[in-house]
Amino acid sequence: MDLGLQELEAAINHWRARKPAQGAEFVLSAEVNALARVYALMIFHRRSSIPFDSLEPFAQQLVRAWRDQSTHA
């Protein structure tokens, strides 16, 4: 199963709403940072999707949690 760029953007926005940036430096949460790293690499490599299994386990967990929440909303 692939993870598309638009789906990743939606997951990032979900986690940004749940865990907003903190402090005067606006430090990203660990959740947003993990997904933003994937997003940056996809943009850099001009990929519109990537295999879900290629994500680090923490990023996979975050996307799964977002998907579960979005299907039950």
Side-chain angles (χ1 to χ4, degrees):
M1 161 178 44
D2 284 351
L3 176 65
L5 197 56
Q6 289 180 332
E7 189 176 27
L8 179 57
E9 288 171 348
I12 290 170
N13 289 333
H14 165 80
W15 286 105
R16 282 183 57 221
R18 293 194 68 201
K19 303 267 183 136
Q22 298 288 318
E25 300 84 16
F26 295 104
V27 176
L28 297 176
S29 68
E31 293 84 355
V32 173
N33 193 44
L35 296 176
R37 193 172 326 135
V38 175
Y39 184 85
L41 289 170
M42 287 177 70
I43 296 298
F44 181 79
H45 293 289
R46 299 178 185 211
R47 305 278 312 261
S48 61
S49 65
I50 58 170
F52 184 80
D53 293 341
S54 71
L55 298 175
E56 294 180 4
F58 183 52
Q60 288 182 13
Q61 177 185 2
L62 294 169
V63 171
R64 280 191 193 107
W66 166 74
R67 283 177 175 163
D68 288 347
Q69 184 275 332
S70 66
T71 59
H72 293 104

